[in-house]
Amino acid sequence: MKARVKAIYRQLKQPVDAIVLSNSTEPHIDMSFFYATGLTDGLFEGCTAWLFPDGRCEIITSALEEEAAKKSGLPLRVFKNRDERRAAMRGSLRGLRRIGINSSELTQKAFTELKQLLPKGRFIDVSDAIMKARLVKDDSEVDLIRTACSIACRSLEQILPFIRPGRTESEVAAELVYTMQRNGATGAAFRTIVGAGPNSAEPHYTAGPREIRSGDLIVIDFGALYKMYHSDVTRTVVVGKASPEQREMYETVRQAQDAAMKMLRPGIRGKSVDAAARKLIDATKYRGRFIHGLGHSLGLATHDGGGLNSVSDIILKPGMVFTNEPGVYVSGFGGVRIEDDVLITRAGPEVLSTASRDLVTVG
Amino acid sequence: MKARVKAIYRQLKQPVDAIVLSNSTEPHIDMSFFYATGLTDGLFEGCTAWLFPDGRCEIITSALEEEAAKKSGLPLRVFKNRDERRAAMRGSLRGLRRIGINSSELTQKAFTELKQLLPKGRFIDVSDAIMKARLVKDDSEVDLIRTACSIACRSLEQILPFIRPGRTESEVAAELVYTMQRNGATGAAFRTIVGAGPNSAEPHYTAGPREIRSGDLIVIDFGALYKMYHSDVTRTVVVGKASPEQREMYETVRQAQDAAMKMLRPGIRGKSVDAAARKLIDATKYRGRFIHGLGHSLGLATHDGGGLNSVSDIILKPGMVFTNEPGVYVSGFGGVRIEDDVLITRAGPEVLSTASRDLVTVG
């Protein structure tokens, strides 16, 4: 993945001799390890990737992951125990003076270890450069996200008949995750949200024993993991006939999403995209009820670096992938969120999540 | 969760005025946040928990998680944006001199932020104390792990008839995760391993498109997540009649697990438990083929602190929960691993994972 390593180095503000990406124990794994190595499977606890200015990348891997690591085609050093691991790390650090670290995905403990191994080293935080490189996806990354989106959308459409009064939120979540896996997903990208009735008004609710009832709004926020890449889609459905109030909420969010969608073009600033949706909602009776940012970058993590929110200074570029997910939440009544995954292209926004955005009736 | 906060403070080697547990973006969440607050749901990105020597605990939470945070019954400060978050953090740091941090679950970036907010503060790594406190589970934690084990074992037994020639590894994994969710799991504790035939010889393989064939050994390593607590169980099954070689491998691992099981008692040192299993395997023709540690602590993470391996100095205490998972791997032929979750009690080991440990024939 020479091009990716070089993309990181191009973003650096000061030169470094090497960049080290160091994984701790799950969940504290640096996802940039997978970006730089191109690996799309394996756990790699305690493993490190070393990136050099000429685009080279080397891996220090545990013997447990040796077979998985070989799939990268990169030079490997293999350790069987803690002592061998430290010796290999020391070997890689030898002769280096300025070492780049990814402070946003490196534990303080792993950082302390690096400093102990090379007391005279100067460690420079290059997390901004890594984030900027990762924001712009290459073709193979877009392909994986596209597949993750396609699996998610197809799976939701397949399980719509399953959603009816008497089913619990948890059952719907389980059915959706299962269907995604049957359709080829590696797993769920994150814990699936199925919030029915008043639970739909909690943006970060997950799913519980509540039974679905006629008249409920149900917010379903879900994504497929496909070879380490994430999709992240939300649809809000209504059980039975939508009330005028529910329809008005839905239409407001839909229009807000449309307004933001038009702004997802190269050269536009993140906060302008957020503002387009927010302005529209705040001009209605739902003023102030859009209580989160409009979206976020998507890739090797669900929240993959930059956000589209009211303070976002990101300038959109071709190859970036963002969620566009306005919502409106009325405590005690319910909520609506519509979320799509959008690739920025020279020609404008390309929506990767193809499920219908109309208000769908279930039950 | 006063008792848990006090348990952490009892393990400290030097006094601190407060301990801060600071979450970054997923996956970089400090699981000790959930230990200290007792919360068993929610994401809590960017949120912090503040623990005081008298056992008090306070939360600084995003407005998105306010409803979830309220379930803790703890004092909350709520932020709506980055500026409010920083102001709340600064408020909590005011007047503190010595602040404990959990370096093994804190990103270097979050640590840098803390130092910037309180330049004169002395930050002391208390990760060892937190790990030691978390190693000994209280009754409510044991109950959650017990439920996670029971869901996992019941689910495996239910899907055994599903495992037959022609099914793919991925299909079996999907079916198992689905069944766990239908049986009440919050989700899978980690990515399910279903390694059939030669893939069973890769300890950290996950699951792929390989079709199951008659004569395969299949290593199934799986766990249920139940309200944030993990189970972690492995069973090796054989498709059709086991060959003498397969039976010998299985019996060797089974005996090694039994030998280690007898050692899982208060007062025993971790490396002695590992040695009991390793000595047995290394006295057979499978010498050197047990290529990983015997086990690890289990709780809010699958790898939850201390390990049982050849260098482990942990002294077992009542309330600790460990996996006991010897294995033997022969490249190109296949592997066997048997893994159970064991609670250390005054009366000896209590196996929480109740699925049969006999070699099960499927297909």
Side-chain angles (χ1 to χ4, degrees), chain A residues 183-216:
Chain A
N183 284 331
T186 315
F190 51 88
R191 223 177 305 156
T192 302
I193 297 175
V194 179
N199 294 337
S200 61
E202 268 188 60
H204 273 195
Y205 181 80
T206 48
R210 187 185 184 283
E211 283 186 12
I212 287 164
R213 294 181 208 155
S214 185
D216 278 351

PDB file of all heavy atoms in Angstrom, chain A residues 183-216:
ATOM      1  N   ASN A 183     -25.855 -12.056   3.811  1.00  0.00           N
ATOM      2  CA  ASN A 183     -25.601 -11.386   2.536  1.00  0.00           C
ATOM      3  C   ASN A 183     -24.123 -11.044   2.330  1.00  0.00           C
ATOM      4  O   ASN A 183     -23.786 -10.294   1.415  1.00  0.00           O
ATOM      5  CB  ASN A 183     -26.454 -10.112   2.441  1.00  0.00           C
ATOM      6  CG  ASN A 183     -27.919 -10.422   2.136  1.00  0.00           C
ATOM      7  OD1 ASN A 183     -28.223 -11.429   1.494  1.00  0.00           O
ATOM      8  ND2 ASN A 183     -28.824  -9.580   2.588  1.00  0.00           N
ATOM      9  N   GLY A 184     -23.275 -11.559   3.211  1.00  0.00           N
ATOM     10  CA  GLY A 184     -21.844 -11.415   2.952  1.00  0.00           C
ATOM     11  C   GLY A 184     -21.092 -10.464   3.854  1.00  0.00           C
ATOM     12  O   GLY A 184     -19.882 -10.291   3.703  1.00  0.00           O
ATOM     13  N   ALA A 185     -21.800  -9.811   4.798  1.00  0.00           N
ATOM     14  CA  ALA A 185     -21.098  -8.906   5.705  1.00  0.00           C
ATOM     15  C   ALA A 185     -20.186  -9.697   6.633  1.00  0.00           C
ATOM     16  O   ALA A 185     -20.492 -10.831   7.004  1.00  0.00           O
ATOM     17  CB  ALA A 185     -22.098  -8.096   6.531  1.00  0.00           C
ATOM     18  N   THR A 186     -19.071  -9.090   7.008  1.00  0.00           N
ATOM     19  CA  THR A 186     -18.190  -9.672   8.011  1.00  0.00           C
ATOM     20  C   THR A 186     -18.878  -9.622   9.379  1.00  0.00           C
ATOM     21  O   THR A 186     -18.610 -10.434  10.257  1.00  0.00           O
ATOM     22  CB  THR A 186     -16.880  -8.855   8.075  1.00  0.00           C
ATOM     23  OG1 THR A 186     -16.434  -8.592   6.747  1.00  0.00           O
ATOM     24  CG2 THR A 186     -15.803  -9.569   8.846  1.00  0.00           C
ATOM     25  N   GLY A 187     -19.733  -8.677   9.561  1.00  0.00           N
ATOM     26  CA  GLY A 187     -20.474  -8.508  10.816  1.00  0.00           C
ATOM     27  C   GLY A 187     -21.207  -7.192  10.762  1.00  0.00           C
ATOM     28  O   GLY A 187     -21.347  -6.599   9.688  1.00  0.00           O
ATOM     29  N   ALA A 188     -21.692  -6.748  11.926  1.00  0.00           N
ATOM     30  CA  ALA A 188     -22.312  -5.431  11.994  1.00  0.00           C
ATOM     31  C   ALA A 188     -21.204  -4.398  12.179  1.00  0.00           C
ATOM     32  O   ALA A 188     -20.203  -4.660  12.844  1.00  0.00           O
ATOM     33  CB  ALA A 188     -23.295  -5.379  13.161  1.00  0.00           C
ATOM     34  N   ALA A 189     -21.373  -3.238  11.583  1.00  0.00           N
ATOM     35  CA  ALA A 189     -20.355  -2.190  11.698  1.00  0.00           C
ATOM     36  C   ALA A 189     -20.345  -1.592  13.103  1.00  0.00           C
ATOM     37  O   ALA A 189     -19.332  -1.097  13.573  1.00  0.00           O
ATOM     38  CB  ALA A 189     -20.615  -1.094  10.665  1.00  0.00           C
ATOM     39  N   PHE A 190     -21.497  -1.650  13.780  1.00  0.00           N
ATOM     40  CA  PHE A 190     -21.633  -1.107  15.138  1.00  0.00           C
ATOM     41  C   PHE A 190     -22.923  -1.671  15.705  1.00  0.00           C
ATOM     42  O   PHE A 190     -23.673  -2.346  14.990  1.00  0.00           O
ATOM     43  CB  PHE A 190     -21.670   0.436  15.123  1.00  0.00           C
ATOM     44  CG  PHE A 190     -22.682   0.986  14.153  1.00  0.00           C
ATOM     45  CD1 PHE A 190     -23.992   1.203  14.542  1.00  0.00           C
ATOM     46  CD2 PHE A 190     -22.326   1.249  12.834  1.00  0.00           C
ATOM     47  CE1 PHE A 190     -24.936   1.674  13.641  1.00  0.00           C
ATOM     48  CE2 PHE A 190     -23.269   1.718  11.922  1.00  0.00           C
ATOM     49  CZ  PHE A 190     -24.564   1.934  12.336  1.00  0.00           C
ATOM     50  N   ARG A 191     -23.171  -1.409  16.985  1.00  0.00           N
ATOM     51  CA  ARG A 191     -24.354  -1.976  17.598  1.00  0.00           C
ATOM     52  C   ARG A 191     -25.600  -1.352  16.962  1.00  0.00           C
ATOM     53  O   ARG A 191     -25.790  -0.141  16.998  1.00  0.00           O
ATOM     54  CB  ARG A 191     -24.348  -1.758  19.107  1.00  0.00           C
ATOM     55  CG  ARG A 191     -24.798  -3.039  19.781  1.00  0.00           C
ATOM     56  CD  ARG A 191     -24.770  -2.998  21.276  1.00  0.00           C
ATOM     57  NE  ARG A 191     -23.495  -2.638  21.833  1.00  0.00           N
ATOM     58  CZ  ARG A 191     -23.374  -2.106  23.041  1.00  0.00           C
ATOM     59  NH1 ARG A 191     -24.448  -1.884  23.773  1.00  0.00           N
ATOM     60  NH2 ARG A 191     -22.182  -1.806  23.514  1.00  0.00           N
ATOM     61  N   THR A 192     -26.434  -2.197  16.391  1.00  0.00           N
ATOM     62  CA  THR A 192     -27.595  -1.748  15.646  1.00  0.00           C
ATOM     63  C   THR A 192     -28.597  -1.036  16.554  1.00  0.00           C
ATOM     64  O   THR A 192     -28.909  -1.518  17.641  1.00  0.00           O
ATOM     65  CB  THR A 192     -28.261  -2.974  14.982  1.00  0.00           C
ATOM     66  OG1 THR A 192     -27.286  -3.594  14.143  1.00  0.00           O
ATOM     67  CG2 THR A 192     -29.475  -2.588  14.172  1.00  0.00           C
ATOM     68  N   ILE A 193     -29.082   0.106  16.094  1.00  0.00           N
ATOM     69  CA  ILE A 193     -30.108   0.840  16.824  1.00  0.00           C
ATOM     70  C   ILE A 193     -31.470   0.510  16.217  1.00  0.00           C
ATOM     71  O   ILE A 193     -31.665   0.645  15.004  1.00  0.00           O
ATOM     72  CB  ILE A 193     -29.874   2.364  16.733  1.00  0.00           C
ATOM     73  CG1 ILE A 193     -28.539   2.751  17.386  1.00  0.00           C
ATOM     74  CG2 ILE A 193     -31.044   3.132  17.354  1.00  0.00           C
ATOM     75  CD1 ILE A 193     -28.174   4.222  17.222  1.00  0.00           C
ATOM     76  N   VAL A 194     -32.380   0.034  17.058  1.00  0.00           N
ATOM     77  CA  VAL A 194     -33.786  -0.081  16.670  1.00  0.00           C
ATOM     78  C   VAL A 194     -34.564   0.569  17.806  1.00  0.00           C
ATOM     79  O   VAL A 194     -34.749  -0.030  18.873  1.00  0.00           O
ATOM     80  CB  VAL A 194     -34.223  -1.546  16.458  1.00  0.00           C
ATOM     81  CG1 VAL A 194     -35.705  -1.615  16.085  1.00  0.00           C
ATOM     82  CG2 VAL A 194     -33.387  -2.227  15.374  1.00  0.00           C
ATOM     83  N   GLY A 195     -34.965   1.806  17.618  1.00  0.00           N
ATOM     84  CA  GLY A 195     -35.670   2.563  18.657  1.00  0.00           C
ATOM     85  C   GLY A 195     -37.107   2.788  18.225  1.00  0.00           C
ATOM     86  O   GLY A 195     -37.356   3.490  17.243  1.00  0.00           O
ATOM     87  N   ALA A 196     -38.032   2.176  18.940  1.00  0.00           N
ATOM     88  CA  ALA A 196     -39.441   2.240  18.539  1.00  0.00           C
ATOM     89  C   ALA A 196     -40.219   3.152  19.483  1.00  0.00           C
ATOM     90  O   ALA A 196     -39.947   3.202  20.688  1.00  0.00           O
ATOM     91  CB  ALA A 196     -40.048   0.845  18.536  1.00  0.00           C
ATOM     92  N   GLY A 197     -41.211   3.863  18.942  1.00  0.00           N
ATOM     93  CA  GLY A 197     -42.053   4.742  19.765  1.00  0.00           C
ATOM     94  C   GLY A 197     -41.202   5.806  20.417  1.00  0.00           C
ATOM     95  O   GLY A 197     -40.347   6.412  19.765  1.00  0.00           O
ATOM     96  N   PRO A 198     -41.383   6.029  21.716  1.00  0.00           N
ATOM     97  CA  PRO A 198     -40.609   7.085  22.388  1.00  0.00           C
ATOM     98  C   PRO A 198     -39.094   6.846  22.309  1.00  0.00           C
ATOM     99  O   PRO A 198     -38.325   7.807  22.321  1.00  0.00           O
ATOM    100  CB  PRO A 198     -41.090   7.024  23.850  1.00  0.00           C
ATOM    101  CG  PRO A 198     -42.089   5.931  23.940  1.00  0.00           C
ATOM    102  CD  PRO A 198     -42.371   5.398  22.587  1.00  0.00           C
ATOM    103  N   ASN A 199     -38.657   5.578  22.203  1.00  0.00           N
ATOM    104  CA  ASN A 199     -37.213   5.299  22.113  1.00  0.00           C
ATOM    105  C   ASN A 199     -36.586   5.885  20.845  1.00  0.00           C
ATOM    106  O   ASN A 199     -35.367   6.085  20.791  1.00  0.00           O
ATOM    107  CB  ASN A 199     -36.951   3.787  22.143  1.00  0.00           C
ATOM    108  CG  ASN A 199     -37.339   3.172  23.476  1.00  0.00           C
ATOM    109  OD1 ASN A 199     -37.390   3.866  24.490  1.00  0.00           O
ATOM    110  ND2 ASN A 199     -37.629   1.878  23.477  1.00  0.00           N
ATOM    111  N   SER A 200     -37.414   6.151  19.844  1.00  0.00           N
ATOM    112  CA  SER A 200     -36.867   6.721  18.607  1.00  0.00           C
ATOM    113  C   SER A 200     -36.385   8.158  18.829  1.00  0.00           C
ATOM    114  O   SER A 200     -35.661   8.699  17.999  1.00  0.00           O
ATOM    115  CB  SER A 200     -37.908   6.677  17.482  1.00  0.00           C
ATOM    116  OG  SER A 200     -39.042   7.445  17.829  1.00  0.00           O
ATOM    117  N   ALA A 201     -36.752   8.751  19.940  1.00  0.00           N
ATOM    118  CA  ALA A 201     -36.329  10.124  20.241  1.00  0.00           C
ATOM    119  C   ALA A 201     -34.951  10.179  20.899  1.00  0.00           C
ATOM    120  O   ALA A 201     -34.441  11.262  21.169  1.00  0.00           O
ATOM    121  CB  ALA A 201     -37.369  10.809  21.132  1.00  0.00           C
ATOM    122  N   GLU A 202     -34.345   9.006  21.180  1.00  0.00           N
ATOM    123  CA  GLU A 202     -32.997   8.979  21.774  1.00  0.00           C
ATOM    124  C   GLU A 202     -31.988   8.629  20.684  1.00  0.00           C
ATOM    125  O   GLU A 202     -31.882   7.465  20.289  1.00  0.00           O
ATOM    126  CB  GLU A 202     -32.921   7.870  22.847  1.00  0.00           C
ATOM    127  CG  GLU A 202     -33.240   8.326  24.245  1.00  0.00           C
ATOM    128  CD  GLU A 202     -32.948   7.200  25.255  1.00  0.00           C
ATOM    129  OE1 GLU A 202     -31.788   6.759  25.341  1.00  0.00           O
ATOM    130  OE2 GLU A 202     -33.897   6.758  25.922  1.00  0.00           O
ATOM    131  N   PRO A 203     -31.205   9.601  20.227  1.00  0.00           N
ATOM    132  CA  PRO A 203     -30.328   9.340  19.074  1.00  0.00           C
ATOM    133  C   PRO A 203     -29.356   8.174  19.289  1.00  0.00           C
ATOM    134  O   PRO A 203     -29.063   7.443  18.355  1.00  0.00           O
ATOM    135  CB  PRO A 203     -29.553  10.647  18.920  1.00  0.00           C
ATOM    136  CG  PRO A 203     -30.366  11.683  19.604  1.00  0.00           C
ATOM    137  CD  PRO A 203     -31.150  11.000  20.669  1.00  0.00           C
ATOM    138  N   HIS A 204     -28.875   7.952  20.510  1.00  0.00           N
ATOM    139  CA  HIS A 204     -27.899   6.880  20.733  1.00  0.00           C
ATOM    140  C   HIS A 204     -28.473   5.684  21.493  1.00  0.00           C
ATOM    141  O   HIS A 204     -27.749   4.904  22.093  1.00  0.00           O
ATOM    142  CB  HIS A 204     -26.651   7.413  21.450  1.00  0.00           C
ATOM    143  CG  HIS A 204     -25.635   7.947  20.495  1.00  0.00           C
ATOM    144  ND1 HIS A 204     -24.338   8.201  20.846  1.00  0.00           N
ATOM    145  CD2 HIS A 204     -25.731   8.247  19.176  1.00  0.00           C
ATOM    146  CE1 HIS A 204     -23.691   8.664  19.785  1.00  0.00           C
ATOM    147  NE2 HIS A 204     -24.507   8.707  18.779  1.00  0.00           N
ATOM    148  N   TYR A 205     -29.785   5.548  21.484  1.00  0.00           N
ATOM    149  CA  TYR A 205     -30.426   4.346  22.006  1.00  0.00           C
ATOM    150  C   TYR A 205     -29.905   3.150  21.200  1.00  0.00           C
ATOM    151  O   TYR A 205     -29.468   3.308  20.069  1.00  0.00           O
ATOM    152  CB  TYR A 205     -31.936   4.505  21.828  1.00  0.00           C
ATOM    153  CG  TYR A 205     -32.764   3.356  22.338  1.00  0.00           C
ATOM    154  CD1 TYR A 205     -33.048   3.240  23.700  1.00  0.00           C
ATOM    155  CD2 TYR A 205     -33.266   2.400  21.469  1.00  0.00           C
ATOM    156  CE1 TYR A 205     -33.818   2.185  24.177  1.00  0.00           C
ATOM    157  CE2 TYR A 205     -34.034   1.342  21.936  1.00  0.00           C
ATOM    158  CZ  TYR A 205     -34.299   1.239  23.289  1.00  0.00           C
ATOM    159  OH  TYR A 205     -35.059   0.201  23.752  1.00  0.00           O
ATOM    160  N   THR A 206     -29.926   1.937  21.780  1.00  0.00           N
ATOM    161  CA  THR A 206     -29.584   0.797  20.921  1.00  0.00           C
ATOM    162  C   THR A 206     -30.853  -0.009  20.597  1.00  0.00           C
ATOM    163  O   THR A 206     -31.590   0.386  19.695  1.00  0.00           O
ATOM    164  CB  THR A 206     -28.464  -0.078  21.531  1.00  0.00           C
ATOM    165  OG1 THR A 206     -28.756  -0.376  22.891  1.00  0.00           O
ATOM    166  CG2 THR A 206     -27.136   0.645  21.473  1.00  0.00           C
ATOM    167  N   ALA A 207     -31.133  -1.055  21.319  1.00  0.00           N
ATOM    168  CA  ALA A 207     -32.343  -1.841  21.061  1.00  0.00           C
ATOM    169  C   ALA A 207     -32.650  -2.601  22.332  1.00  0.00           C
ATOM    170  O   ALA A 207     -31.736  -3.051  23.017  1.00  0.00           O
ATOM    171  CB  ALA A 207     -32.150  -2.801  19.897  1.00  0.00           C
ATOM    172  N   GLY A 208     -33.905  -2.738  22.666  1.00  0.00           N
ATOM    173  CA  GLY A 208     -34.253  -3.396  23.919  1.00  0.00           C
ATOM    174  C   GLY A 208     -35.474  -4.277  23.776  1.00  0.00           C
ATOM    175  O   GLY A 208     -35.870  -4.649  22.670  1.00  0.00           O
ATOM    176  N   PRO A 209     -36.081  -4.632  24.906  1.00  0.00           N
ATOM    177  CA  PRO A 209     -37.196  -5.573  24.884  1.00  0.00           C
ATOM    178  C   PRO A 209     -38.534  -4.942  24.488  1.00  0.00           C
ATOM    179  O   PRO A 209     -39.545  -5.639  24.432  1.00  0.00           O
ATOM    180  CB  PRO A 209     -37.251  -6.065  26.339  1.00  0.00           C
ATOM    181  CG  PRO A 209     -36.682  -4.940  27.146  1.00  0.00           C
ATOM    182  CD  PRO A 209     -35.674  -4.258  26.263  1.00  0.00           C
ATOM    183  N   ARG A 210     -38.551  -3.647  24.183  1.00  0.00           N
ATOM    184  CA  ARG A 210     -39.844  -3.014  23.884  1.00  0.00           C
ATOM    185  C   ARG A 210     -40.491  -3.634  22.648  1.00  0.00           C
ATOM    186  O   ARG A 210     -39.858  -3.825  21.620  1.00  0.00           O
ATOM    187  CB  ARG A 210     -39.666  -1.521  23.635  1.00  0.00           C
ATOM    188  CG  ARG A 210     -41.015  -0.785  23.498  1.00  0.00           C
ATOM    189  CD  ARG A 210     -40.836   0.669  23.123  1.00  0.00           C
ATOM    190  NE  ARG A 210     -42.082   1.398  23.083  1.00  0.00           N
ATOM    191  CZ  ARG A 210     -42.968   1.329  22.092  1.00  0.00           C
ATOM    192  NH1 ARG A 210     -42.758   0.529  21.077  1.00  0.00           N
ATOM    193  NH2 ARG A 210     -44.086   2.052  22.126  1.00  0.00           N
ATOM    194  N   GLU A 211     -41.764  -3.959  22.763  1.00  0.00           N
ATOM    195  CA  GLU A 211     -42.485  -4.505  21.616  1.00  0.00           C
ATOM    196  C   GLU A 211     -42.954  -3.377  20.706  1.00  0.00           C
ATOM    197  O   GLU A 211     -43.386  -2.321  21.182  1.00  0.00           O
ATOM    198  CB  GLU A 211     -43.699  -5.320  22.086  1.00  0.00           C
ATOM    199  CG  GLU A 211     -43.295  -6.680  22.601  1.00  0.00           C
ATOM    200  CD  GLU A 211     -44.500  -7.560  22.938  1.00  0.00           C
ATOM    201  OE1 GLU A 211     -45.646  -7.200  22.564  1.00  0.00           O
ATOM    202  OE2 GLU A 211     -44.284  -8.602  23.575  1.00  0.00           O
ATOM    203  N   ILE A 212     -42.877  -3.635  19.432  1.00  0.00           N
ATOM    204  CA  ILE A 212     -43.331  -2.673  18.427  1.00  0.00           C
ATOM    205  C   ILE A 212     -44.855  -2.597  18.467  1.00  0.00           C
ATOM    206  O   ILE A 212     -45.531  -3.615  18.600  1.00  0.00           O
ATOM    207  CB  ILE A 212     -42.806  -3.107  17.044  1.00  0.00           C
ATOM    208  CG1 ILE A 212     -41.296  -2.825  17.003  1.00  0.00           C
ATOM    209  CG2 ILE A 212     -43.549  -2.429  15.913  1.00  0.00           C
ATOM    210  CD1 ILE A 212     -40.584  -3.535  15.895  1.00  0.00           C
ATOM    211  N   ARG A 213     -45.360  -1.333  18.388  1.00  0.00           N
ATOM    212  CA  ARG A 213     -46.815  -1.145  18.424  1.00  0.00           C
ATOM    213  C   ARG A 213     -47.269  -0.386  17.199  1.00  0.00           C
ATOM    214  O   ARG A 213     -46.514   0.394  16.634  1.00  0.00           O
ATOM    215  CB  ARG A 213     -47.212  -0.328  19.660  1.00  0.00           C
ATOM    216  CG  ARG A 213     -46.944  -1.058  20.942  1.00  0.00           C
ATOM    217  CD  ARG A 213     -47.372  -0.210  22.135  1.00  0.00           C
ATOM    218  NE  ARG A 213     -46.543  -0.594  23.277  1.00  0.00           N
ATOM    219  CZ  ARG A 213     -46.281   0.177  24.309  1.00  0.00           C
ATOM    220  NH1 ARG A 213     -46.794   1.402  24.382  1.00  0.00           N
ATOM    221  NH2 ARG A 213     -45.524  -0.248  25.294  1.00  0.00           N
ATOM    222  N   SER A 214     -48.519  -0.560  16.870  1.00  0.00           N
ATOM    223  CA  SER A 214     -49.109   0.187  15.781  1.00  0.00           C
ATOM    224  C   SER A 214     -48.980   1.676  16.091  1.00  0.00           C
ATOM    225  O   SER A 214     -49.215   2.108  17.219  1.00  0.00           O
ATOM    226  CB  SER A 214     -50.570  -0.232  15.653  1.00  0.00           C
ATOM    227  OG  SER A 214     -51.122   0.390  14.540  1.00  0.00           O
ATOM    228  N   GLY A 215     -48.609   2.444  15.098  1.00  0.00           N
ATOM    229  CA  GLY A 215     -48.460   3.889  15.302  1.00  0.00           C
ATOM    230  C   GLY A 215     -47.051   4.332  15.651  1.00  0.00           C
ATOM    231  O   GLY A 215     -46.750   5.522  15.633  1.00  0.00           O
ATOM    232  N   ASP A 216     -46.159   3.367  15.942  1.00  0.00           N
ATOM    233  CA  ASP A 216     -44.774   3.722  16.299  1.00  0.00           C
ATOM    234  C   ASP A 216     -44.007   4.287  15.105  1.00  0.00           C
ATOM    235  O   ASP A 216     -44.124   3.776  13.989  1.00  0.00           O
ATOM    236  CB  ASP A 216     -43.987   2.468  16.739  1.00  0.00           C
ATOM    237  CG  ASP A 216     -44.225   2.092  18.193  1.00  0.00           C
ATOM    238  OD1 ASP A 216     -44.868   2.880  18.914  1.00  0.00           O
ATOM    239  OD2 ASP A 216     -43.748   1.001  18.593  1.00  0.00           O
TER     240      ASP A 216
END
